[in-house]
Amino acid sequence: MPTVRDIMNSKLLYLRDGDRASLARRYILDFGVTAVPVLDETHRPVGIISLRDLEREGDDVQPKGDVVCVKDTDDIASAARALAETDFHHLVVVDDKGVAVGMVSSVDFVRALLGLPARHPK
């Protein structure tokens, strides 16, 4: 059975805890993503900044502390259900130790559930 690892974007673009939110805007625009996780010094998620947050609050946005994560070994259906139960469009993917290893989006889940290949920004 396919897992989140099979569909996630493992090229993790992130901010360090304490970085300026304006860096998130630059990453989002330059790399074609719509959300950037904020990681602590141990590479564990402590927040997330989305394009929607930046549009609403500008560069003074504070990372949302309610980071929803799924494990890279979770099956796609249960991880998709976890996303559907939130108001988010992205989830941070972590390993068994809670270390961030990727991101997965609602579009990734739709493609997987339709049997289409994963496609991520370069």
Side-chain angles (χ1 to χ4, degrees):
M1 175 175 289
T3 65
V4 172
R5 182 183 304 120
D6 298 319
I7 66 168
M8 72 180 192
N9 187 347
S10 61
K11 294 180 180 162
L12 186 60
L13 179 66
Y14 65 93
L15 293 177
R16 293 178 305 221
D17 196 13
D19 283 349
R20 296 182 326 272
S22 60
L23 287 175
R25 179 182 300 279
R26 186 175 57 171
Y27 289 161
I28 285 170
L29 295 174
D30 289 351
F31 294 99
V33 297
T34 58
V36 179
V38 179
L39 307 180
D40 67 13
E41 65 278 349
T42 64
H43 217 67
R44 287 173 172 73
V46 295
I48 193 161
I49 297 177
S50 70
L51 183 58
R52 186 180 346 169
D53 297 331
L54 290 164
E55 282 299 310
R56 287 183 187 160
E57 302 172 41
D59 289 338
D60 293 330
V61 66
Q62 295 299 309
K64 301 290 187 251
D66 50 352
V67 183
V68 178
C69 299
V70 291
K71 288 188 178 178
D72 60 345
T73 56
D74 288 348
D75 67 87
I76 291 173
S78 65
R81 182 176 312 284
L83 180 63
E85 292 172 350
T86 72
D87 291 326
F88 305 130
H89 298 280
H90 298 85
L91 299 175
V92 179
V93 182
V94 297
D95 64 14
D96 287 334
K97 297 176 184 170
V99 173
V101 294
M103 290 281 286
V104 66
S105 73
S106 53
V107 173
D108 294 328
F109 286 118
V110 170
R111 284 188 180 124
L113 294 170
L114 293 174
L116 299 172
R119 193 170 55 196
H120 301 110
K122 295 179 180 171

